[in-house]
Amino acid sequence: KGNYYEGHWTDDKRNIFGFSVTANKGLRAGEWRNDSYLGERIVYTSDRIYGIDISKYQHETTSIVSRRIKVRRHRRRVWKTVKRLVVHRYGINWDRLRVSHLGTMTKKNVSGKADFPISFVYVKCTEGVSIYNTYYASDCSQIRKHGIHAGSYHFFSPLSDATTQAHFFLRYASFHKGDFPPVLDVEPTHKQIEKMGGCHVLFNRIRTWMRIVENRTGVKPILYV
């Protein structure tokens, strides 16, 4: 009656990893043991598939640089401190791209030492109707050149028209055989949702973006929230 499960089975019971959708429990994704849901208790192992997302922030850091200069003030030369924002740019060593650490916020476990290959990378392409990731094209080229599956994503703006955002993404995004489906990244605040007219307005704009992108690419986009 509308119940659905997809994942690992052992002796006709849900085991290891899978996700289930039921009328009374909703969506449950994670670890299972003998038909019982244990929660999102993923143990990181070498036989799983891992991917990351990147944007310009993996290429750039900023810092404030101060220096003292002499300026003329009231017929005298005095020292003045000038602060300047400096952008530091970096490349990515694609040959050494691995999962080497899970960070400090997660409580998930690692089987052995964290040293797992990256199988796919999602690259930020666009945001709203005016922001384009200038590293997008070169990153996608390097990803494919190193035998890694690529995917493109658009960061949704609650301030811009959904149709315009979809066409802006399609203008710059590249799609090759073997690529992962395009992704719409939606992360508005409660105040932004309220300002745009509520959840029903947000959902309609999301559907508009996804319908346009699917019609153009022939692939159902993934919604990341």
Side-chain angles (χ1 to χ4, degrees), residues 76-135:
R76 291 191 312 150
R77 286 192 175 272
V78 296
W79 286 99
K80 179 182 177 182
T81 301
V82 178
K83 294 185 178 181
R84 184 166 60 98
L85 181 67
V86 177
V87 179
H88 308 275
R89 293 179 172 84
Y90 305 93
I92 295 177
N93 192 332
W94 299 101
D95 291 320
R96 298 182 59 189
L97 197 60
R98 312 273 297 180
V99 175
S100 60
H101 199 274
L102 301 186
T104 57
M105 295 179 64
T106 182
K107 295 182 180 178
K108 298 170 183 176
N109 298 318
V110 175
S111 177
K113 181 183 177 182
D115 183 25
F116 311 133
I118 298 296
S119 298
F120 65 94
V121 178
Y122 266 101
V123 187
K124 180 178 180 180
C125 179
T126 49
E127 177 178 340
V129 296
S130 60
I131 299 176
Y132 168 69
N133 175 18
T134 55
Y135 299 96

Short mmCIF file of all heavy atoms in Angstrom, two decimals, residues 76-135:
data_model
loop_
_atom_site.label_atom_id
_atom_site.label_comp_id
_atom_site.label_asym_id
_atom_site.label_seq_id
_atom_site.Cartn_x
_atom_site.Cartn_y
_atom_site.Cartn_z
N ARG A 76 51.62 68.50 6.35
CA ARG A 76 52.62 67.58 6.91
C ARG A 76 52.43 66.20 6.30
O ARG A 76 51.33 65.83 5.90
CB ARG A 76 52.48 67.47 8.44
CG ARG A 76 52.86 68.74 9.19
CD ARG A 76 52.94 68.41 10.69
NE ARG A 76 51.78 67.66 11.14
CZ ARG A 76 51.81 66.78 12.13
NH1 ARG A 76 52.95 66.51 12.75
NH2 ARG A 76 50.70 66.18 12.51
N ARG A 77 53.50 65.46 6.27
CA ARG A 77 53.39 64.07 5.83
C ARG A 77 53.31 63.17 7.07
O ARG A 77 54.19 63.23 7.92
CB ARG A 77 54.59 63.67 4.97
CG ARG A 77 54.55 64.26 3.57
CD ARG A 77 55.58 63.63 2.67
NE ARG A 77 55.45 64.10 1.30
CZ ARG A 77 54.65 63.54 0.39
NH1 ARG A 77 53.91 62.48 0.74
NH2 ARG A 77 54.59 64.02 -0.83
N VAL A 78 52.25 62.36 7.11
CA VAL A 78 52.05 61.47 8.26
C VAL A 78 51.87 60.05 7.75
O VAL A 78 51.54 59.80 6.59
CB VAL A 78 50.81 61.89 9.08
CG1 VAL A 78 51.02 63.28 9.68
CG2 VAL A 78 49.55 61.85 8.22
N TRP A 79 52.08 59.13 8.66
CA TRP A 79 51.93 57.71 8.31
C TRP A 79 50.45 57.32 8.45
O TRP A 79 49.78 57.69 9.39
CB TRP A 79 52.77 56.82 9.21
CG TRP A 79 54.23 56.89 8.89
CD1 TRP A 79 55.19 57.61 9.53
CD2 TRP A 79 54.88 56.20 7.83
NE1 TRP A 79 56.41 57.44 8.95
CE2 TRP A 79 56.25 56.56 7.90
CE3 TRP A 79 54.46 55.32 6.83
CZ2 TRP A 79 57.19 56.07 7.00
CZ3 TRP A 79 55.40 54.83 5.94
CH2 TRP A 79 56.75 55.21 6.03
N LYS A 80 49.96 56.52 7.49
CA LYS A 80 48.58 56.03 7.52
C LYS A 80 48.57 54.54 7.18
O LYS A 80 49.29 54.10 6.27
CB LYS A 80 47.73 56.79 6.50
CG LYS A 80 46.28 56.32 6.44
CD LYS A 80 45.51 57.09 5.38
CE LYS A 80 44.08 56.58 5.28
NZ LYS A 80 43.30 57.28 4.22
N THR A 81 47.76 53.79 7.92
CA THR A 81 47.64 52.35 7.66
C THR A 81 46.53 52.09 6.64
O THR A 81 45.39 52.51 6.84
CB THR A 81 47.34 51.57 8.96
OG1 THR A 81 48.39 51.80 9.89
CG2 THR A 81 47.23 50.08 8.68
N VAL A 82 46.88 51.41 5.57
CA VAL A 82 45.92 51.08 4.51
C VAL A 82 45.72 49.57 4.48
O VAL A 82 46.69 48.80 4.47
CB VAL A 82 46.43 51.57 3.13
CG1 VAL A 82 45.44 51.17 2.04
CG2 VAL A 82 46.62 53.07 3.16
N LYS A 83 44.45 49.16 4.50
CA LYS A 83 44.13 47.74 4.43
C LYS A 83 43.59 47.39 3.05
O LYS A 83 42.80 48.13 2.47
CB LYS A 83 43.10 47.37 5.51
CG LYS A 83 43.65 47.51 6.92
CD LYS A 83 42.64 47.04 7.95
CE LYS A 83 43.23 47.13 9.36
NZ LYS A 83 42.29 46.65 10.40
N ARG A 84 44.01 46.23 2.57
CA ARG A 84 43.64 45.81 1.23
C ARG A 84 43.26 44.33 1.23
O ARG A 84 43.90 43.52 1.90
CB ARG A 84 44.82 46.05 0.28
CG ARG A 84 44.56 45.75 -1.17
CD ARG A 84 45.67 46.34 -2.03
NE ARG A 84 46.97 45.80 -1.68
CZ ARG A 84 47.56 44.80 -2.35
NH1 ARG A 84 46.94 44.24 -3.38
NH2 ARG A 84 48.75 44.38 -1.99
N LEU A 85 42.17 44.01 0.52
CA LEU A 85 41.74 42.61 0.39
C LEU A 85 42.52 41.94 -0.72
O LEU A 85 42.52 42.39 -1.87
CB LEU A 85 40.24 42.54 0.09
CG LEU A 85 39.64 41.14 -0.05
CD1 LEU A 85 39.68 40.41 1.29
CD2 LEU A 85 38.23 41.20 -0.58
N VAL A 86 43.20 40.83 -0.38
CA VAL A 86 44.01 40.10 -1.35
C VAL A 86 43.39 38.72 -1.59
O VAL A 86 43.03 38.02 -0.64
CB VAL A 86 45.46 39.95 -0.86
CG1 VAL A 86 46.28 39.13 -1.85
CG2 VAL A 86 46.09 41.32 -0.67
N VAL A 87 43.25 38.34 -2.86
CA VAL A 87 42.71 37.04 -3.23
C VAL A 87 43.88 36.12 -3.61
O VAL A 87 44.68 36.45 -4.48
CB VAL A 87 41.73 37.15 -4.41
CG1 VAL A 87 41.21 35.76 -4.79
CG2 VAL A 87 40.57 38.07 -4.06
N HIS A 88 43.96 34.97 -2.94
CA HIS A 88 44.99 33.97 -3.23
C HIS A 88 44.34 32.85 -4.04
O HIS A 88 43.33 32.30 -3.62
CB HIS A 88 45.59 33.42 -1.95
CG HIS A 88 46.08 34.49 -1.00
ND1 HIS A 88 47.33 35.07 -1.10
CD2 HIS A 88 45.47 35.07 0.06
CE1 HIS A 88 47.47 35.96 -0.15
NE2 HIS A 88 46.37 35.99 0.58
N ARG A 89 44.93 32.51 -5.17
CA ARG A 89 44.34 31.50 -6.07
C ARG A 89 45.20 30.24 -6.08
O ARG A 89 46.42 30.30 -6.08
CB ARG A 89 44.20 32.07 -7.48
CG ARG A 89 43.17 33.18 -7.55
CD ARG A 89 43.05 33.77 -8.95
NE ARG A 89 41.94 34.70 -9.02
CZ ARG A 89 42.01 35.98 -8.67
NH1 ARG A 89 43.16 36.46 -8.23
NH2 ARG A 89 40.96 36.76 -8.77
N TYR A 90 44.50 29.08 -6.11
CA TYR A 90 45.17 27.79 -6.04
C TYR A 90 44.60 26.84 -7.10
O TYR A 90 43.43 26.93 -7.49
CB TYR A 90 44.98 27.14 -4.67
CG TYR A 90 45.41 28.01 -3.51
CD1 TYR A 90 44.50 28.85 -2.87
CD2 TYR A 90 46.73 28.01 -3.07
CE1 TYR A 90 44.90 29.65 -1.81
CE2 TYR A 90 47.14 28.81 -2.01
CZ TYR A 90 46.21 29.63 -1.39
OH TYR A 90 46.60 30.43 -0.35
N GLY A 91 45.43 25.90 -7.53
CA GLY A 91 44.96 24.83 -8.39
C GLY A 91 44.59 23.61 -7.56
O GLY A 91 44.81 23.57 -6.35
N ILE A 92 43.99 22.62 -8.19
CA ILE A 92 43.63 21.37 -7.53
C ILE A 92 44.52 20.25 -8.07
O ILE A 92 44.64 20.09 -9.29
CB ILE A 92 42.14 21.02 -7.75
CG1 ILE A 92 41.25 22.06 -7.06
CG2 ILE A 92 41.82 19.62 -7.22
CD1 ILE A 92 39.77 21.85 -7.29
N ASN A 93 45.14 19.50 -7.19
CA ASN A 93 45.95 18.37 -7.60
C ASN A 93 45.03 17.16 -7.79
O ASN A 93 44.76 16.41 -6.85
CB ASN A 93 47.03 18.07 -6.55
CG ASN A 93 48.08 17.10 -7.06
OD1 ASN A 93 47.78 16.28 -7.92
ND2 ASN A 93 49.28 17.19 -6.53
N TRP A 94 44.55 16.98 -9.00
CA TRP A 94 43.53 15.95 -9.27
C TRP A 94 44.07 14.54 -9.07
O TRP A 94 43.32 13.62 -8.75
CB TRP A 94 43.00 16.12 -10.69
CG TRP A 94 42.36 17.45 -10.90
CD1 TRP A 94 42.89 18.55 -11.51
CD2 TRP A 94 41.05 17.84 -10.46
NE1 TRP A 94 42.00 19.59 -11.48
CE2 TRP A 94 40.86 19.19 -10.86
CE3 TRP A 94 40.01 17.18 -9.79
CZ2 TRP A 94 39.68 19.89 -10.60
CZ3 TRP A 94 38.84 17.87 -9.53
CH2 TRP A 94 38.68 19.21 -9.93
N ASP A 95 45.36 14.34 -9.24
CA ASP A 95 45.94 13.00 -9.07
C ASP A 95 45.93 12.56 -7.60
O ASP A 95 46.00 11.37 -7.31
CB ASP A 95 47.38 12.98 -9.58
CG ASP A 95 47.45 13.12 -11.09
OD1 ASP A 95 46.60 12.53 -11.76
OD2 ASP A 95 48.33 13.85 -11.58
N ARG A 96 45.85 13.51 -6.68
CA ARG A 96 45.90 13.18 -5.25
C ARG A 96 44.55 13.37 -4.56
O ARG A 96 44.47 13.37 -3.35
CB ARG A 96 46.95 14.04 -4.56
CG ARG A 96 48.36 13.81 -5.08
CD ARG A 96 49.36 14.66 -4.32
NE ARG A 96 49.35 14.34 -2.89
CZ ARG A 96 50.00 15.05 -1.97
NH1 ARG A 96 50.68 16.12 -2.33
NH2 ARG A 96 49.95 14.69 -0.71
N LEU A 97 43.48 13.52 -5.35
CA LEU A 97 42.16 13.79 -4.79
C LEU A 97 41.61 12.53 -4.13
O LEU A 97 41.28 11.55 -4.80
CB LEU A 97 41.22 14.27 -5.90
CG LEU A 97 39.95 14.97 -5.47
CD1 LEU A 97 40.25 16.22 -4.68
CD2 LEU A 97 39.10 15.31 -6.69
N ARG A 98 41.50 12.54 -2.79
CA ARG A 98 41.02 11.39 -2.03
C ARG A 98 40.19 11.87 -0.83
O ARG A 98 40.28 13.02 -0.41
CB ARG A 98 42.20 10.58 -1.46
CG ARG A 98 43.30 10.25 -2.42
CD ARG A 98 43.08 9.00 -3.18
NE ARG A 98 43.03 7.81 -2.36
CZ ARG A 98 42.84 6.58 -2.85
NH1 ARG A 98 42.66 6.43 -4.15
NH2 ARG A 98 42.80 5.54 -2.08
N VAL A 99 39.36 10.95 -0.29
CA VAL A 99 38.74 11.20 1.00
C VAL A 99 39.75 10.77 2.05
O VAL A 99 40.02 9.59 2.24
CB VAL A 99 37.44 10.39 1.17
CG1 VAL A 99 36.88 10.58 2.57
CG2 VAL A 99 36.41 10.81 0.14
N SER A 100 40.33 11.74 2.76
CA SER A 100 41.37 11.45 3.74
C SER A 100 40.95 11.75 5.17
O SER A 100 41.63 11.38 6.12
CB SER A 100 42.66 12.22 3.41
OG SER A 100 42.40 13.61 3.42
N HIS A 101 39.82 12.46 5.31
CA HIS A 101 39.35 12.82 6.65
C HIS A 101 37.88 13.19 6.57
O HIS A 101 37.42 13.73 5.57
CB HIS A 101 40.17 14.00 7.19
CG HIS A 101 40.09 14.17 8.67
ND1 HIS A 101 39.07 14.88 9.29
CD2 HIS A 101 40.88 13.71 9.67
CE1 HIS A 101 39.25 14.85 10.60
NE2 HIS A 101 40.33 14.15 10.85
N LEU A 102 37.12 12.87 7.61
CA LEU A 102 35.69 13.17 7.62
C LEU A 102 35.38 14.49 8.32
O LEU A 102 34.21 14.86 8.46
CB LEU A 102 34.90 12.05 8.32
CG LEU A 102 35.04 10.65 7.71
CD1 LEU A 102 34.09 9.70 8.40
CD2 LEU A 102 34.75 10.68 6.22
N GLY A 103 36.40 15.21 8.75
CA GLY A 103 36.17 16.46 9.45
C GLY A 103 35.94 16.23 10.93
O GLY A 103 36.04 15.11 11.44
N THR A 104 35.59 17.28 11.63
CA THR A 104 35.44 17.20 13.09
C THR A 104 33.99 17.22 13.54
O THR A 104 33.69 16.95 14.70
CB THR A 104 36.16 18.39 13.75
OG1 THR A 104 35.64 19.63 13.21
CG2 THR A 104 37.66 18.33 13.48
N MET A 105 33.04 17.52 12.63
CA MET A 105 31.64 17.63 13.03
C MET A 105 30.91 16.28 13.01
O MET A 105 29.96 16.07 13.76
CB MET A 105 30.90 18.61 12.12
CG MET A 105 31.41 20.05 12.23
SD MET A 105 30.55 21.17 11.12
CE MET A 105 28.89 21.10 11.80
N THR A 106 31.33 15.37 12.14
CA THR A 106 30.61 14.11 11.98
C THR A 106 30.94 13.12 13.09
O THR A 106 32.03 13.13 13.67
CB THR A 106 30.94 13.47 10.62
OG1 THR A 106 30.18 12.25 10.49
CG2 THR A 106 32.42 13.13 10.51
N LYS A 107 29.97 12.27 13.42
CA LYS A 107 30.17 11.19 14.38
C LYS A 107 30.20 9.83 13.67
O LYS A 107 30.12 8.80 14.31
CB LYS A 107 29.07 11.21 15.43
CG LYS A 107 29.08 12.47 16.31
CD LYS A 107 27.99 12.42 17.36
CE LYS A 107 28.02 13.68 18.23
NZ LYS A 107 26.93 13.67 19.24
N LYS A 108 30.28 9.86 12.34
CA LYS A 108 30.30 8.62 11.58
C LYS A 108 31.65 7.93 11.70
O LYS A 108 32.65 8.54 12.03
CB LYS A 108 29.96 8.91 10.12
CG LYS A 108 28.57 9.49 9.94
CD LYS A 108 28.34 9.98 8.54
CE LYS A 108 26.97 10.62 8.42
NZ LYS A 108 26.73 11.20 7.09
N ASN A 109 31.63 6.64 11.43
CA ASN A 109 32.82 5.81 11.64
C ASN A 109 33.54 5.51 10.32
O ASN A 109 32.94 5.51 9.25
CB ASN A 109 32.43 4.49 12.31
CG ASN A 109 31.82 4.72 13.68
OD1 ASN A 109 32.30 5.55 14.44
ND2 ASN A 109 30.74 4.00 13.97
N VAL A 110 34.81 5.21 10.45
CA VAL A 110 35.63 4.82 9.31
C VAL A 110 36.16 3.42 9.56
O VAL A 110 36.63 3.10 10.65
CB VAL A 110 36.82 5.79 9.12
CG1 VAL A 110 37.73 5.30 8.00
CG2 VAL A 110 36.32 7.19 8.83
N SER A 111 36.04 2.56 8.54
CA SER A 111 36.60 1.23 8.63
C SER A 111 38.06 1.31 8.20
O SER A 111 38.36 1.49 7.02
CB SER A 111 35.83 0.26 7.73
OG SER A 111 36.42 -1.02 7.75
N GLY A 112 38.97 1.20 9.17
CA GLY A 112 40.38 1.36 8.86
C GLY A 112 40.74 2.83 8.76
O GLY A 112 40.16 3.68 9.42
N LYS A 113 41.68 3.16 7.88
CA LYS A 113 42.12 4.53 7.69
C LYS A 113 41.34 5.18 6.54
O LYS A 113 41.07 4.54 5.52
CB LYS A 113 43.62 4.55 7.36
CG LYS A 113 44.19 5.94 7.16
CD LYS A 113 45.65 5.86 6.76
CE LYS A 113 46.20 7.26 6.49
NZ LYS A 113 47.63 7.21 6.04
N ALA A 114 40.93 6.43 6.72
CA ALA A 114 40.20 7.15 5.67
C ALA A 114 41.15 7.47 4.53
O ALA A 114 41.99 8.37 4.62
CB ALA A 114 39.58 8.42 6.23
N ASP A 115 41.05 6.72 3.45
CA ASP A 115 41.88 6.94 2.27
C ASP A 115 41.15 6.34 1.08
O ASP A 115 41.52 5.30 0.55
CB ASP A 115 43.26 6.30 2.45
CG ASP A 115 44.17 6.58 1.26
OD1 ASP A 115 43.95 7.60 0.58
OD2 ASP A 115 45.09 5.77 1.01
N PHE A 116 40.06 7.02 0.68
CA PHE A 116 39.16 6.46 -0.32
C PHE A 116 39.15 7.31 -1.59
O PHE A 116 39.26 8.53 -1.53
CB PHE A 116 37.72 6.38 0.24
CG PHE A 116 37.64 5.73 1.60
CD1 PHE A 116 36.91 6.32 2.61
CD2 PHE A 116 38.31 4.55 1.87
CE1 PHE A 116 36.82 5.74 3.87
CE2 PHE A 116 38.25 3.96 3.12
CZ PHE A 116 37.50 4.56 4.12
N PRO A 117 39.03 6.66 -2.74
CA PRO A 117 39.04 7.42 -4.01
C PRO A 117 37.75 8.22 -4.20
O PRO A 117 36.71 7.87 -3.66
CB PRO A 117 39.17 6.31 -5.06
CG PRO A 117 38.57 5.10 -4.41
CD PRO A 117 38.92 5.21 -2.96
N ILE A 118 37.85 9.29 -4.97
CA ILE A 118 36.70 10.09 -5.35
C ILE A 118 36.19 9.58 -6.69
O ILE A 118 36.93 9.53 -7.67
CB ILE A 118 37.08 11.58 -5.48
CG1 ILE A 118 37.56 12.13 -4.14
CG2 ILE A 118 35.92 12.39 -6.02
CD1 ILE A 118 36.49 12.14 -3.06
N SER A 119 34.91 9.20 -6.74
CA SER A 119 34.34 8.65 -7.97
C SER A 119 33.59 9.69 -8.80
O SER A 119 33.40 9.51 -9.99
CB SER A 119 33.39 7.49 -7.64
OG SER A 119 34.09 6.44 -7.02
N PHE A 120 33.10 10.74 -8.15
CA PHE A 120 32.40 11.78 -8.90
C PHE A 120 32.57 13.13 -8.20
O PHE A 120 32.81 13.20 -7.00
CB PHE A 120 30.91 11.45 -9.07
CG PHE A 120 30.13 11.42 -7.77
CD1 PHE A 120 29.46 12.56 -7.32
CD2 PHE A 120 30.06 10.27 -7.02
CE1 PHE A 120 28.74 12.54 -6.13
CE2 PHE A 120 29.34 10.23 -5.83
CZ PHE A 120 28.67 11.38 -5.39
N VAL A 121 32.47 14.19 -8.99
CA VAL A 121 32.60 15.55 -8.47
C VAL A 121 31.49 16.41 -9.09
O VAL A 121 31.34 16.44 -10.31
CB VAL A 121 33.96 16.18 -8.81
CG1 VAL A 121 34.03 17.61 -8.29
CG2 VAL A 121 35.10 15.35 -8.24
N TYR A 122 30.74 17.08 -8.23
CA TYR A 122 29.77 18.07 -8.71
C TYR A 122 30.43 19.44 -8.64
O TYR A 122 30.97 19.83 -7.61
CB TYR A 122 28.50 18.05 -7.86
CG TYR A 122 27.44 17.15 -8.43
CD1 TYR A 122 27.21 15.88 -7.93
CD2 TYR A 122 26.65 17.60 -9.50
CE1 TYR A 122 26.24 15.06 -8.47
CE2 TYR A 122 25.67 16.78 -10.05
CZ TYR A 122 25.46 15.51 -9.53
OH TYR A 122 24.49 14.71 -10.07
N VAL A 123 30.34 20.18 -9.74
CA VAL A 123 30.97 21.49 -9.84
C VAL A 123 29.88 22.56 -9.91
O VAL A 123 28.95 22.45 -10.71
CB VAL A 123 31.87 21.59 -11.08
CG1 VAL A 123 32.64 22.91 -11.07
CG2 VAL A 123 32.82 20.41 -11.15
N LYS A 124 30.02 23.58 -9.07
CA LYS A 124 29.08 24.69 -9.15
C LYS A 124 29.28 25.43 -10.47
O LYS A 124 30.39 25.82 -10.80
CB LYS A 124 29.28 25.66 -7.98
CG LYS A 124 28.31 26.84 -8.02
CD LYS A 124 28.51 27.76 -6.83
CE LYS A 124 27.54 28.93 -6.88
NZ LYS A 124 27.71 29.84 -5.73
N CYS A 125 28.19 25.60 -11.19
CA CYS A 125 28.25 26.28 -12.47
C CYS A 125 27.77 27.72 -12.34
O CYS A 125 28.49 28.65 -12.70
CB CYS A 125 27.41 25.53 -13.50
SG CYS A 125 27.38 26.30 -15.14
N THR A 126 26.56 27.89 -11.81
CA THR A 126 25.95 29.21 -11.76
C THR A 126 25.19 29.42 -10.46
O THR A 126 24.90 28.47 -9.73
CB THR A 126 24.98 29.41 -12.94
OG1 THR A 126 24.09 28.27 -13.00
CG2 THR A 126 25.71 29.55 -14.26
N GLU A 127 24.84 30.68 -10.22
CA GLU A 127 24.01 31.05 -9.07
C GLU A 127 23.13 32.22 -9.47
O GLU A 127 23.62 33.21 -10.05
CB GLU A 127 24.88 31.44 -7.88
CG GLU A 127 24.08 31.90 -6.66
CD GLU A 127 24.96 32.24 -5.47
OE1 GLU A 127 26.11 31.78 -5.44
OE2 GLU A 127 24.49 32.97 -4.57
N GLY A 128 21.83 32.10 -9.18
CA GLY A 128 20.92 33.17 -9.54
C GLY A 128 20.87 33.39 -11.04
O GLY A 128 20.76 32.45 -11.82
N VAL A 129 20.99 34.66 -11.45
CA VAL A 129 20.94 34.99 -12.88
C VAL A 129 22.19 35.74 -13.34
O VAL A 129 22.24 36.21 -14.47
CB VAL A 129 19.69 35.83 -13.20
CG1 VAL A 129 18.42 35.03 -12.95
CG2 VAL A 129 19.67 37.13 -12.38
N SER A 130 23.20 35.84 -12.46
CA SER A 130 24.36 36.66 -12.85
C SER A 130 25.71 36.10 -12.40
O SER A 130 26.75 36.58 -12.86
CB SER A 130 24.21 38.08 -12.29
OG SER A 130 24.13 38.05 -10.87
N ILE A 131 25.72 35.11 -11.52
CA ILE A 131 26.99 34.62 -10.97
C ILE A 131 27.41 33.34 -11.70
O ILE A 131 26.68 32.33 -11.70
CB ILE A 131 26.88 34.35 -9.46
CG1 ILE A 131 26.54 35.66 -8.73
CG2 ILE A 131 28.18 33.76 -8.92
CD1 ILE A 131 26.31 35.48 -7.25
N TYR A 132 28.58 33.37 -12.31
CA TYR A 132 29.15 32.22 -13.01
C TYR A 132 30.48 31.86 -12.38
O TYR A 132 31.32 32.74 -12.14
CB TYR A 132 29.33 32.53 -14.50
CG TYR A 132 30.16 31.52 -15.25
CD1 TYR A 132 29.67 30.23 -15.47
CD2 TYR A 132 31.43 31.83 -15.72
CE1 TYR A 132 30.44 29.29 -16.14
CE2 TYR A 132 32.19 30.91 -16.40
CZ TYR A 132 31.69 29.63 -16.62
OH TYR A 132 32.44 28.70 -17.28
N ASN A 133 30.68 30.58 -12.10
CA ASN A 133 31.93 30.11 -11.53
C ASN A 133 32.99 30.06 -12.63
O ASN A 133 32.94 29.21 -13.53
CB ASN A 133 31.73 28.72 -10.92
CG ASN A 133 33.02 28.11 -10.42
OD1 ASN A 133 34.01 28.81 -10.21
ND2 ASN A 133 33.00 26.80 -10.21
N THR A 134 33.95 30.96 -12.57
CA THR A 134 34.96 31.06 -13.63
C THR A 134 35.88 29.85 -13.70
O THR A 134 36.61 29.68 -14.69
CB THR A 134 35.81 32.34 -13.44
OG1 THR A 134 36.36 32.33 -12.12
CG2 THR A 134 34.96 33.58 -13.63
N TYR A 135 35.88 29.01 -12.67
CA TYR A 135 36.70 27.80 -12.67
C TYR A 135 35.93 26.59 -13.22
O TYR A 135 36.49 25.49 -13.33
CB TYR A 135 37.17 27.47 -11.25
CG TYR A 135 38.03 28.54 -10.64
CD1 TYR A 135 37.49 29.51 -9.79
CD2 TYR A 135 39.41 28.61 -10.88
CE1 TYR A 135 38.27 30.50 -9.22
CE2 TYR A 135 40.19 29.59 -10.31
CZ TYR A 135 39.62 30.54 -9.49
OH TYR A 135 40.40 31.51 -8.92
#
